[in-house]
Amino acid sequence: MTTRLRATGLRLAYGDTIVVDGLDLDVPGDAVTAIVGPNGCGKSTLLRALGRLLRPRAGTVHLDEQRIERIPTREVARIIGMLPQSPVAPDGLTVAELVMRGRHPHQNWFRQWSAADEAIVTEALTWTDMLALADRPVDALSGGQRQRAWLSMALAQGTEILLLDEPTTYLDLAHQIDVLELVARLHRERGRTIVMVLHDLNLAARYADHVVAMRDGKIVAQGDPASVFTPELLSAVFGLEALVVPDPATGTPLVVPLPRALV
């Protein structure tokens, strides 16, 4: 298993509140990883630290065996792309203009916008089925279309690692499936390393190769979905009594919560 991102002894905090403490994590470089856990357990905080958006109080994050804070910002932006929860584009920005912003890390004083950049943007829009909406304002899109637009930007950015913070939030089930199918294709066909925070355990089980379960700022378990999603772990991490059965469509674990009256 290759490792692109590694966290060692990580302590993360906002002000005086410590959210994550003493966390160690190796992110598989050849997998889709889902981070799951109850609200407030530190999932999004961990993702921000992996993307160098939050400086650790202690411990280190390594990218390809280098301390990430010592790597130039532009170089990090060429390797890691991050989509936060519910990203917001400036008013009036079109889909094409948003996706063009993905090329900024590759430009400088000596290398301005080129025909190659234009081709990459067009390819990204085509690949995500957004080319027909290129001239539409981002704020006029549906939720699912908006997520595909942001994924188009990440694809145009050309990063090898993509961090997604709850990419299915506020989407109906059909659009959740559409977005996660697109994420799976990014990994399968483009070789992207994906790390995403998800709330829906069954979607995590279906689309992730590697699952990290967190509680109270610590990793409780990690591994393939079948080894993580067990009745015992669901009870310990989520306080949820549930059956775990094979998904009839995919064979992946399917979590079936038990009514409280039956527990």
Side-chain angles (χ1 to χ4, degrees):
M1 179 184 72
T2 60
T3 298
R4 300 295 306 276
L5 278 171
R6 172 177 287 119
T8 306
L10 212 57
R11 177 184 294 168
L12 306 172
Y14 298 107
D16 295 329
T17 303
I18 296 175
V19 180
V20 169
D21 198 10
L23 184 143
D24 298 328
L25 174 66
D26 286 355
V27 175
D30 52 357
V32 175
T33 295
I35 304 175
V36 301
N39 290 338
C41 72
K43 303 184 299 295
S44 297
T45 301
L46 171 60
L47 203 69
R48 294 188 68 213
L50 293 176
R52 212 181 77 166
L53 297 181
L54 179 64
R55 181 182 292 274
R57 297 288 178 87
T60 58
V61 174
H62 283 81
L63 171 61
D64 293 332
E65 305 304 327
Q66 299 183 69
R67 291 176 66 116
I68 197 169
E69 74 273 12
R70 296 178 180 172
I71 304 174
T73 300
R74 188 175 291 272
E75 185 177 343
V76 173
R78 293 190 189 113
I79 300 173
I80 299 177
M82 180 163 180
L83 296 185
Q85 292 183 41
S86 306
V88 178
D91 289 343
L93 193 75
T94 67
V95 171
E97 290 168 340
L98 174 69
V99 179
M100 288 167 64
R101 292 187 173 202
R103 299 305 300 160
H104 287 179
H106 302 274
Q107 297 171 349
N108 54 43
W109 179 261
F110 301 102
R111 187 196 181 284
Q112 299 297 311
W113 188 262
S114 67
D117 292 313
E118 191 72 38
I120 289 170
V121 168
T122 299
E123 181 189 21
L125 288 166
T126 301
W127 200 82
T128 56
D129 198 26
M130 290 295 289
L131 188 60
L133 301 175
D135 295 328
R136 183 156 320 168
V138 176
D139 53 15
L141 300 176
S142 70
Q145 291 169 338
R146 193 176 300 116
Q147 286 296 73
R148 295 210 319 268
W150 285 99
L151 285 170
S152 301
M153 186 193 74
L155 185 59
Q157 190 174 338
T159 60
E160 301 163 15
I161 301 171
L162 188 56
L163 309 179
L164 307 174
D165 193 359
E166 299 187 31
T168 58
T169 297
Y170 306 127
L171 300 183
D172 61 40
L173 184 56
H175 285 117
Q176 290 179 41
I177 297 295
D178 287 343
V179 167
L180 292 177
E181 290 283 351
L182 181 56
V183 168
R185 283 185 58 211
L186 275 171
H187 170 66
R188 184 174 63 251
E189 298 177 16
R190 296 299 180 100
R192 299 296 196 267
T193 296
I194 309 289
V195 185
M196 55 184 176
V197 170
L198 286 180
H199 275 296
D200 190 306
L201 303 182
N202 290 324
L203 292 180
R206 176 176 289 192
Y207 289 100
D209 309 299
H210 187 77
V211 177
V212 176
M214 294 183 63
R215 184 176 179 87
D216 298 329
K218 299 184 183 301
I219 294 175
V220 178
Q222 60 179 308
D224 63 88
S227 66
V228 173
F229 290 123
T230 65
E232 295 77 15
L233 181 127
L234 293 170
S235 178
V237 173
F238 295 94
L240 177 68
E241 301 302 320
L243 301 177
V244 180
V245 299
D247 186 317
T250 63
T252 55
L254 182 68
V255 177
V256 183
L258 295 174
R260 297 294 187 188
L262 297 182
V263 176

